[in-house]
Amino acid sequence: MSSPAELPSHFKLVTLWLLLLLAVFLGFKAWEHQQQQSRISVNAGEIRLQRGPDGHFHWPGRVNGVAVDFLVDTGATRSALPQALAERAGLVSEGLVASNTAGGLAQGYKARATITLQGGVSAERLSVTVLPALDAPLLGMDMLSKLSFTQEDGQLLIRAAQP
């Protein structure tokens, strides 16, 4: 029989399992973060993005200081942001817009954002489209057209465009 000050054994066992699950979860998140960081390398003015496990290129950056993982979308005319991200970044609507997306016509709004990308690429007050149903931030040709890029062996090699 346990003393009144001692915790029941089943409570100790549950606590131990919860701590073990927390350690596994945190270890997985650390591994995931390390994998994401190793998908980009910057060397002598060249940025190399490694294709992600989902088959797309992702480029870490910030929108008005809020950390994001952009999906590089050469088919998008303008960079687009999910509404929840736009709200966290403090973007203000500059008018309604209808946007043709892969899923059809979508209603959203235009806003301006400062976008900085890992590797030193940035744009201030870039006009972006904010869409409520968008799953991930898209980096469109409004940013990419200012750069020179080629794709080879599962990598996207990016350089500053020549004048």
Side-chain angles (χ1 to χ4, degrees):
M1 183 178 229
S2 62
S3 68
E6 190 175 316
L7 294 174
S9 62
H10 67 279
F11 182 75
K12 290 178 186 178
L13 187 59
V14 168
T15 302
L16 181 63
W17 274 106
L18 288 174
L19 288 173
L20 182 62
L21 288 173
L22 178 64
V24 168
F25 174 77
L26 292 175
F28 176 76
K29 290 309 247 179
W31 173 82
E32 191 176 57
H33 180 71
Q34 188 274 334
Q35 291 293 345
Q36 181 180 0
Q37 293 304 314
S38 67
R39 287 194 314 233
I40 183 169
S41 64
V42 180
N43 189 13
E46 291 184 349
I47 301 164
R48 287 187 183 267
L49 302 178
Q50 185 71 37
R51 186 183 310 275
D54 62 358
H56 298 286
F57 294 103
H58 296 264
W59 198 343
R62 295 189 170 275
V63 174
N64 287 4
V66 177
V68 298
D69 188 32
F70 283 100
L71 177 68
V72 176
D73 187 354
T74 57
T77 304
R78 182 183 291 187
S79 295
L81 306 174
Q83 186 169 349
L85 170 61
E87 289 171 359
R88 282 195 318 272
L91 301 189
V92 177
S93 173
E94 293 184 345
L96 298 178
V97 66
S99 182
N100 286 316
T101 69
L105 192 63
Q107 298 293 323
Y109 62 89
K110 292 186 298 183
R112 298 219 175 252
T114 297
I115 294 179
T116 55
L117 301 167
Q118 194 170 335
V121 176
S122 65
E124 291 197 26
R125 298 200 34 81
L126 182 72
S127 181
V128 297
T129 300
V130 176
L131 299 171
L134 190 63
D135 293 330
L138 303 177
L139 191 64
M141 289 305 293
D142 52 351
M143 284 287 290
L144 298 171
S145 66
K146 297 172 176 57
L147 306 167
S148 170
F149 56 94
T150 57
Q151 181 181 339
E152 56 187 49
D153 299 326
Q155 293 185 342
L156 192 61
L157 176 60
I158 304 162
R159 297 181 195 96
Q162 301 300 318

